[in-house]
């Protein structure tokens, strides 16, 4: 049975004999107006890494009427409303290279694999990583960091101070 440290709106890290990697998730609770009845709609939204892929999910429940839903998807792009809510709630995370002379080819390969982007965009991201560091949600930066560490590139992820 894997051990877990759980914080519903922060980070979950699980590791154990059956788990080969750390699971990282970040979530936020968003209160809006229900379009169906005008009541209070509570949305839980977030990002997580599962089996080396970035996933996002959201579920909502109206406190007044029976409106409810759950939505989840994987891939490199999280809806911007969810990203912005996470960044507002938790602050940005910054990914930095520990050794700026790390293999450019390896860094480019990882950025292209994770973000499924053309070489020119990956080059721009790689340059940003080498200079100021990449900025995004904690989950996005941890996904890239995990792939880089797997290829022996030393990196660090700095979270915004609490």
């Amino acid at each position: 049975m894997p051990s877990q440290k759980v914080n519903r709106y922060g980070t979950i890290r699980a590791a154990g004999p059956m788990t080969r990697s750390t699971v990282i998730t970040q979530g936020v609770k968003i209160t809006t107006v229900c379009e169906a009845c005008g009541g209070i709609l509570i949305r839980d939204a977030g990002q997580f890494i599962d089996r080396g892929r970035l996933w996002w999910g959201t579920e909502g429940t109206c406190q007044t009427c029976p409106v409810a839903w759950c939505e989840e998807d994987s891939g490199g792009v999280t809806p911007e409303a969810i990203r912005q809510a996470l960044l507002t709630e938790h602050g940005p995370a910054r990914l930095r290279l520990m050794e700026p002379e790390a293999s450019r080819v390896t860094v480019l390969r990882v950025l292209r694999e994770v973000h499924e982007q053309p070489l020119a965009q990956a080059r721009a991201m790689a340059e940003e990583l080498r200079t100021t560091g990449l900025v995004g949600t904690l989950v996005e930066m941890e996904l890239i960091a995990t792939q880089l560490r797997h290829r022996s590139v030393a990196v660090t992820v700095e979270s915004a101070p609490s």
Side-chain angles (χ1 to χ4, degrees):
M1 180 75 136
S3 63
Q4 290 188 349
K5 185 192 273 187
V6 178
N7 175 343
R8 181 172 173 144
Y9 300 103
T11 304
I12 296 176
R13 297 179 188 273
M18 301 304 286
T19 307
R20 293 191 179 262
S21 64
T22 300
V23 176
I24 299 171
T25 185
Q26 197 171 52
V28 63
K29 188 177 291 261
I30 305 165
T31 302
T32 61
V33 176
C34 176
E35 292 179 15
C37 73
I40 297 172
L41 183 72
I42 307 290
R43 287 180 57 202
D44 285 315
Q47 288 179 315
F48 60 98
I49 300 170
D50 186 24
R51 296 181 194 102
R53 292 185 55 105
L54 177 69
W55 289 76
W56 61 269
T58 185
E59 60 182 62
T61 306
C62 180
Q63 303 300 295
T64 307
C65 72
V67 167
W69 80 93
C70 181
E71 182 180 14
E72 183 177 275
D73 200 1
S74 69
V77 180
T78 299
E80 195 58 29
I82 293 173
R83 284 190 81 250
Q84 289 306 313
L86 291 169
L87 290 167
T88 299
E89 178 77 15
H90 301 287
R94 184 176 303 271
L95 174 66
R96 295 183 187 273
L97 290 174
M98 300 289 289
E99 302 163 353
E101 66 278 351
S103 167
R104 291 180 190 271
V105 172
T106 302
V107 170
L108 280 171
R109 183 174 291 137
V110 167
L111 292 173
R112 289 192 74 199
E113 287 172 3
V114 170
H115 292 286
E116 300 174 2
Q117 61 188 199
L119 184 57
Q121 287 179 323
R123 281 187 180 141
M125 283 184 77
E127 185 57 30
E128 186 178 343
L129 178 57
R130 286 190 186 292
T131 56
T132 60
L134 291 177
V135 176
T137 68
L138 175 65
V139 175
E140 293 163 348
M141 297 302 100
E142 286 289 352
L143 177 63
I144 298 169
T146 299
Q147 296 300 321
L148 288 167
R149 289 179 189 128
H150 181 71
R151 291 177 173 93
S152 301
V153 176
V155 293
T156 184
V157 175
E158 303 163 353
S159 296
S162 301

